[in-house]
Amino acid sequence: MAAPLVIKVKPQDNVAIAVHDLAKGVEVLPGVVTNEPIPQAHKTALTDIAEGEAIVRYGVVLGYAKKDIKKGDWINEHMVKLPKSPSLDDMPYGKNIVPMEELPEPPVKTWMGYRNKEGYAGTKNMLGIMTSVQCVAGVARVAVERIRRELLPKYPNVDDVVAITHPYGCGVAINATMAYIPIRSLQNILRHPNFGGEIMVLGLGCEKLTLDKLLPPEDITPENCLIIQDCHGHDEMMQKILDMAETKLKRLNERKREELPLSDLLIGMQCGGSDAFSGLTANPSAGYAADMLVRGGGTVMFSEVTEVRDGVHLIAERCVNAEVRDRLAAEMKWYDDYLEAGGVDRDANPAPGNKKGGLANIVEKAMGSIAKSGTAPIVEVIGAGERPTKHGMIYDATPASDIVCGPSQIAAGIGLQVFMTGRGTPYGLEVAPVIKVCSRNEMKENWFDMIDISAGGVATGDQTIEEVGTEIFNFIIDVASGRKKPYSDQYGFHNDMCIFNPAPIT
């Protein structure tokens, strides 16, 4: 059977996307001939669409035609008028609840992780050293390199030591209304499951983010915290940091992996550099893996407010009760107001690469983005930097920006992230491994040694979503258990820890 030339998602769609670059004059479906070249992943009209009529993909109105469009024309972002965003008032909930027994059965229900006294288990065994302010970031990085070189070889059971630096802490309105978001994020990152309960903070001494804003009184001790303005010169400062670190490395070295249930695993789903294939191949495949994890007792979170806003009603239908639906609406409303105050709307999200990859606007991007959440019921909605309290599918209301969403999910406690991409990105997280899944085979062929899994076979008809989803699930278990390393960890491609800070900078 020949591979399809275009993909139409729903019967009511009046557009389809090109599987590969199409020349002018190609019959892509019976009676539909291209009037011009159509780039890969871009849309061609399946019917005549008059000015003002709806352009439909995924069975959803992406927008309205700015001019008459003929059957076989190329439809790009300049031809689509953005529709109004869905209302957040009285959204129906609980209408689309898939019973647990109808989710796909996972191949395994255990993994090898580091058990913690409380909360989720670790996928790595690391020492994290947090700074209370950007002013000491340089000190932390130099100290970490010395610890890796001089101390870490003595403690073979410890995977690494990382500096948790950030651009927050001073020159900020520390008591502003929204300051709780970055502060909460830092508090929770400090207690990430991969750090095994060990706390280590480097402060300057004159910053606004004082130790009592990061830690409870019982943890503010000389064993956990060092104020470098109190040190007598460089050598004393470095020696105190190394001594503190070695005490903690000795305890971390006692940690061992053990067989644990999936209920001890928390993973995050994120996408970036998306294209029009993302919602057809990579994201649905990741969603299938997510459903497997939830069926097995695991917890999965997805995020990115602007990339779900236009499908919020679909998420609400999966919310298990009115309380979860109301929290979802509240988080969306907060972000609507946040964007309005900044003088932009949700369509400021798509990047030039998204548009080059065939995504006309934020509505089309959102429909594909939601697919990575699978079909499982949504049991809880949390805010940026917050920790989940339930097991199952979680919505974490973070910004969509890759480099901000990632740290927000780290604050929530993810032990691993699955990252879908269409255009490609070297993005990675130092605290938790990141698995890369691409949406098309051309991406994998180009970045053969940077993309872990290709879902492109779904578009060409060589693989099914179920097959790729199972491959992703198995790779998640292998990476979480320490049996395999994704490329981002092999190369040390790790982004800065960009904490979401909507509060004023003074």
Side-chain angles (χ1 to χ4, degrees), residues 351-367:
N354 297 145
K355 294 174 182 177
K356 189 174 181 181
L359 293 173
N361 60 20
I362 189 59
V363 181
E364 187 171 15
K365 192 175 183 183
M367 291 306 112

Side-chain angles (χ1 to χ4, degrees), residues 190-465:
L190 193 55
R191 299 181 182 278
H192 191 274
N194 286 352
F195 298 153
E198 296 297 334
I199 294 167
M200 189 164 170
V201 179
L202 300 183
L204 180 60
C206 57
E207 63 270 31
K208 294 180 182 179
L209 187 65
T210 50
L211 294 176
D212 60 293
K213 290 181 170 63
L214 283 174
L215 295 166
E218 61 271 21
D219 287 332
I220 303 174
T221 66
E223 289 73 32
N224 294 333
C225 308
L226 178 67
I227 301 300
I228 66 170
Q229 286 178 346
D230 294 340
C231 297
H232 187 65
H234 170 275
D235 290 355
E236 181 182 284
M237 175 182 70
M238 281 294 165
Q239 191 58 53
K240 285 186 174 182
I241 294 172
L242 266 64
D243 289 346
M244 185 187 301
E246 184 150 32
T247 299
K248 295 177 184 302
L249 288 170
K250 288 177 182 177
R251 290 197 290 264
L252 288 171
N253 200 52
E254 299 301 313
R255 295 179 91 199
K256 300 288 191 299
R257 290 188 185 272
E258 55 185 291
E259 188 172 14
L260 299 171
L262 287 180
S263 57
D264 281 339
L265 181 61
L266 169 61
I267 77 158
M269 295 285 179
Q270 190 183 341
C271 52
S274 301
D275 66 3
F277 285 119
S278 294
L280 297 176
T281 63
N283 288 358
S285 298
Y288 189 85
D291 282 346
M292 280 184 162
L293 286 159
V294 172
R295 171 75 184 269
T299 301
V300 180
M301 64 173 52
F302 69 113
S303 301
E304 301 166 279
V305 171
T306 50
E307 295 186 16
V308 305
R309 177 64 178 86
D310 283 276
V312 65
H313 52 296
L314 303 176
I315 299 175
E317 290 177 357
R318 291 166 55 196
C319 291
V320 295
N321 55 42
E323 180 184 0
V324 177
R325 185 272 316 269
D326 291 347
R327 180 70 190 274
L328 176 67
E331 292 290 345
M332 296 293 120
K333 177 65 166 60
W334 184 92
Y335 219 88
D336 283 354
D337 294 342
Y338 171 68
L339 292 178
E340 184 178 2
V344 298
D345 65 19
R346 67 203 193 282
D347 203 38
N349 173 298
N354 297 145
K355 294 174 182 177
K356 189 174 181 181
L359 293 173
N361 60 20
I362 189 59
V363 181
E364 187 171 15
K365 192 175 183 183
M367 291 306 112
S369 177
I370 290 171
K372 65 179 176 283
S373 68
T375 63
I378 295 167
V379 298
E380 187 173 27
V381 173
I382 61 175
E386 194 174 1
R387 285 262 167 115
T389 64
K390 303 191 184 310
H391 291 270
M393 180 58 65
I394 308 287
Y395 179 67
D396 183 8
T398 76
S401 166
D402 301 344
I403 59 170
V404 178
C405 176
S408 295
Q409 288 194 349
I410 289 290
I414 62 163
L416 178 151
Q417 190 180 74
V418 184
F419 190 100
M420 281 60 68
T421 185
R423 308 297 297 173
T425 171
Y427 161 94
L429 298 167
E430 196 166 19
V431 176
V434 176
I435 295 170
K436 293 284 178 49
V437 180
C438 68
S439 66
R440 40 189 193 105
N441 289 332
E442 290 86 351
M443 181 73 252
K444 175 63 174 172
E445 290 163 5
N446 189 44
W447 279 12
F448 60 93
D449 56 357
M450 289 192 283
I451 296 292
D452 298 295
I453 295 172
S454 174
V458 176
T460 60
D462 298 314
Q463 290 177 291
T464 65
I465 287 171

Side-chain angles (χ1 to χ4, degrees), residues 56-228:
V56 181
R57 184 182 175 216
Y58 296 111
V60 171
V61 176
L62 301 184
Y64 301 95
K66 291 183 177 180
K67 63 179 182 179
D68 291 346
I69 299 170
K70 293 185 181 299
K71 181 168 62 174
D73 281 355
W74 169 26
I75 299 176
N76 58 49
E77 71 271 17
H78 304 297
M79 302 162 68
V80 186
K81 181 182 178 182
L82 191 70
K84 289 182 63 176
S85 56
S87 171
L88 298 172
D89 297 330
D90 300 318
M91 292 185 294
Y93 66 90
K95 288 179 58 180
N96 188 18
I97 302 296
V98 176
M100 193 67 69
E101 61 273 14
E102 293 183 14
L103 297 176
E105 184 76 26
V108 298
K109 294 186 178 179
T110 62
W111 63 293
M112 300 299 292
Y114 294 99
R115 190 189 300 275
N116 287 311
K117 292 180 181 178
E118 58 181 12
Y120 290 97
T123 59
K124 289 183 175 183
N125 185 26
M126 313 173 81
L127 173 62
I129 303 177
M130 178 173 281
T131 60
S132 64
V133 65
Q134 175 61 208
C135 307
V136 293
V139 172
R141 291 192 187 100
V142 169
V144 161
E145 288 308 311
R146 285 193 59 180
I147 294 166
R148 284 174 177 158
R149 186 172 63 250
E150 298 173 26
L151 300 180
L152 209 54
K154 297 193 293 183
Y155 304 101
N157 294 330
V158 182
D159 296 317
D160 202 359
V161 54
V162 297
I164 310 300
T165 64
H166 54 88
Y168 196 67
C170 210
V172 296
I174 201 74
N175 295 316
T177 305
M178 291 297 112
Y180 75 91
I181 293 176
I183 294 173
R184 176 175 69 188
S185 298
L186 292 172
Q187 290 171 341
N188 285 332
I189 291 171
L190 193 55
R191 299 181 182 278
H192 191 274
N194 286 352
F195 298 153
E198 296 297 334
I199 294 167
M200 189 164 170
V201 179
L202 300 183
L204 180 60
C206 57
E207 63 270 31
K208 294 180 182 179
L209 187 65
T210 50
L211 294 176
D212 60 293
K213 290 181 170 63
L214 283 174
L215 295 166
E218 61 271 21
D219 287 332
I220 303 174
T221 66
E223 289 73 32
N224 294 333
C225 308
L226 178 67
I227 301 300
I228 66 170

